Amino acid sequence: MKVAFFDTHNFEKDFFLAANQKYSFDIEFIETRLSVKTATLAAGSRTVCVFVNDKLDSGCVAKLREIGVEHIALRSAGFNNVDLASAKFNDLLVTRVPAYSPYAVAEFAVGILISLNRKIHHAFLRVRDLNFSLDGLVGFDLHGKKVGVIGAGRIGKIFAKIMLACGCHVLIYDIAKDPELAAEKNVQYVDLDFVCKEADVISLHVPLTPQTHHLINAEKFALMKKSVVLINTGRGALIDSRALLEVLKSESIAGAALDVYEEEENIFFQDLSGKVLHDDILARLLTFPNVLVTSHQAFLTKEALENIASTTLENINRYYRGQAVDADKVVNSRIFNSRSREL
Ligand code: NAI
C-alpha cells in the first residue's frame, strides 16, 4: 500500500520507519511540499501524508481527488492548511494527530518565555565571547505575575499549570471552561480585553481559525501593558505581524518569543543560511534584541515524534482496512458518495 509522504524531514524519517515495522506500508518519502503544482507526485497513493506547511487549497484537494487520493493524513494537530470545504466536497477523509505531546509544546513555551525574560540566549553568546558582564541582562521574577493564557485546551492547560507552579496568577481566555482549571485558586476565566489589559505575560494556544486570525492586532496591542511579554507557539497568523512590528519599534511591549510566524511557510524547516531572506517583516523582527524566534520546533521531542508516527500510521491503517478512525482524529469524514458529488 503506497503512501505519498510530502515535505519529509530527516528529523522524523527514522521515527516513521520504526513505526512502519508494524504495518509495512510502501512509504514514498518526498522532500517537496504538497501544493496544486506537486499533487501529481501522489499518483498511485490512496493516502497522502502531509505536514503543517503543505498547502492543501481547493485546487490541490481537487487535483488529489482527480488522481485517486481518498485520504489526507495530517501528521500534525493543526489543520488550518487544508481547505476543509473542498475536502468535504471532494469526499476526502482528513485525519490528524490531535495530541502527540502537549507537554512538548507547553514546556517549550515556558522555555522561550524564560529565555526571553532572563536573556539566556544573549548570555550564552556573550560568555562564549569571554564577555562576562551582566549589564543588559536584567529580567523579572515570574512569581507573582499575571500570566494570560489564550486558549486553555490540551497545551494551554499544561502551560497554565506550570505557570501556577511558578507562583503566577493565571488569566484564561477561552470559549470553553475547563472545570479542573476553573477550580484552581489562582485561575480566573476572563475576556480577551481583560487579558490584554492586565497580563504581564500572554501566551497563545488557540487553533488558527477564521475567528482567531489576527486575534492579536493593533487594537489588542493598544490595550497591553508596556511591560508585557508575548509568547506564540500556536500559529503565526494569530498575531498581525505588521502590528507586532509597530509595537516593537515604538517600544510599546517588552518583547516577543515566537515559535511560529505568519509567513513561515517557505522559510521555516529549511536551511537558508547563505541565502537572501526576502521576508522584510521577519528580517526586521530578527533585529530586535527583545525578540526570540525559533523555527516551529515546540513539538520536537522524541516522545512527540514517536506518537506522531504511530498515530498517523494507525489512522492510515484503519482507513485502508475499512475500520472507523477514532473520532478525535477525524477532521473531515467521508460523507458524500460519488453520486452526491455529481449533484
Ligand atoms: P486544543 O483543541 O486542545 O485547545 C484549543 C483551545 O482553544 C480549546 O480550549 C478551545 O476551546 C480554545 N479555542 C478555540 N477557538 C477559540 C476562540 N475563537 N477563542 C478562544 N478560545 C478558543 O488544542 P491544543 O492541542 O492545545 O493545540 C493548540 C494549538 O497549538 C493547535 O491548534 C496548533 O495550532 C498549535 N500547535 C503548535 C505546535 C508547535 O510546534 N508550535 C505543535 C502543536 C500544536
Side-chain angles (χ1 to χ4, degrees):
M1 216 66 81
K2 194 175 144 194
V3 178
F5 196 101
F6 282 88
D7 198 16
T8 305
H9 298 276
N10 283 335
F11 66 73
E12 59 187 345
K13 226 173 176 173
D14 287 347
F15 291 94
F16 271 90
L17 289 173
N20 194 34
Q21 285 178 5
K22 185 172 163 192
Y23 305 102
S24 300
F25 291 127
D26 175 14
I27 300 181
E28 189 182 356
F29 290 110
I30 303 167
E31 283 182 22
T32 312
R33 287 186 179 165
L34 177 58
S35 69
V36 67
K37 286 186 186 155
T38 61
T40 49
L41 292 171
S45 302
R46 277 167 63 198
T47 294
V48 288
C49 182
V50 300
F51 200 38
V52 289
N53 288 323
D54 290 302
K55 197 172 177 185
L56 290 97
D57 55 16
S58 59
C60 177
V61 171
K63 189 82 202 164
L64 289 174
R65 183 66 213 194
E66 195 184 305
I67 61 171
V69 172
E70 298 168 354
H71 176 201
I72 296 166
L74 288 150
R75 50 185 198 279
S76 62
F79 47 83
N80 52 286
N81 52 333
V82 182
D83 185 326
L84 290 181
S86 192
K88 195 168 202 169
F89 180 78
N90 285 286
D91 195 17
L92 283 164
L93 171 70
V94 183
T95 59
R96 65 173 181 144
V97 186
Y100 34 89
S101 174
Y103 301 100
V105 184
E107 289 168 11
F108 192 83
V110 176
I112 54 177
L113 161 61
I114 294 177
S115 191
L116 179 74
N117 168 26
R118 305 301 302 274
K119 301 162 179 67
I120 298 170
H121 53 304
H122 289 305
F124 171 78
L125 292 174
R126 263 193 200 190
V127 168
R128 283 168 71 97
D129 228 11
L130 305 187
N131 176 354
F132 299 102
S133 153
L134 296 182
D135 292 342
L137 298 183
V138 179
F140 59 83
D141 282 9
L142 279 172
H143 183 90
K145 295 294 182 298
K146 288 182 187 155
V147 175
V149 179
I150 313 280
R154 295 181 196 87
I155 297 168
K157 182 175 177 176
I158 296 165
F159 178 83
K161 284 184 168 181
I162 300 173
M163 292 296 97
L164 286 173
C166 288
C168 300
H169 186 91
V170 173
L171 303 173
I172 297 176
Y173 168 64
D174 196 309
I175 47 173
K177 215 177 219 178
D178 180 284
E180 189 196 339
L181 269 183
E184 288 278 353
K185 189 170 150 240
N186 283 323
V187 169
Q188 219 182 326
Y189 273 84
V190 294
D191 65 31
L192 181 57
D193 284 3
F194 191 90
V195 174
C196 293
K197 281 181 202 157
E198 295 295 323
D200 302 296
V201 172
I202 297 177
S203 192
L204 306 180
H205 302 286
V206 279
L208 179 63
T209 63
Q211 292 73 39
T212 61
H213 183 264
H214 286 187
L215 192 69
I216 303 299
N217 51 29
E219 187 198 318
K220 299 300 174 206
F221 278 124
L223 302 173
M224 293 180 194
K225 294 179 182 175
K226 258 187 115 169
S227 56
V228 75
V229 166
L230 182 63
I231 312 297
N232 191 7
T233 56
R235 283 289 181 269
L238 296 174
I239 301 176
D240 178 345
S241 313
R242 286 178 190 279
L244 173 63
L245 206 54
E246 289 312 312
V247 290
L248 286 164
K249 277 159 78 176
S250 60
E251 300 181 40
S252 308
I253 66 167
L258 313 168
D259 184 51
V260 284
Y261 167 62
E262 206 172 352
E263 302 296 334
E264 70 180 54
E265 193 182 305
N266 293 314
I267 301 169
F268 284 12
F269 300 130
Q270 298 178 67
D271 180 0
L272 299 181
S273 50
K275 303 233 168 75
V276 172
L277 181 59
H278 292 284
D279 187 312
D280 289 350
I281 295 181
L282 180 59
R284 183 69 175 97
L285 282 174
L286 293 173
T287 66
F288 292 97
N290 53 346
V291 172
L292 174 56
V293 178
T294 49
S295 178
H296 205 138
Q297 74 172 84
F299 71 98
L300 204 64
T301 65
K302 183 176 162 292
E303 290 80 1
L305 290 168
E306 279 166 359
N307 285 338
I308 289 171
S310 59
T311 307
T312 304
L313 294 187
E314 181 57 19
N315 289 346
I316 296 170
N317 181 50
R318 284 181 177 238
Y319 181 63
Y320 277 149
R321 289 176 174 273
Q323 297 168 346
V325 178
D326 293 342
D328 64 331
K329 295 169 186 109
V330 176
V331 182
N332 181 57
S333 51
R334 299 192 70 189
I335 52 168
F336 290 174
N337 57 33
S338 52
R339 188 166 173 277
S340 62
R341 258 204 328 277
E342 285 160 19
L343 294 174

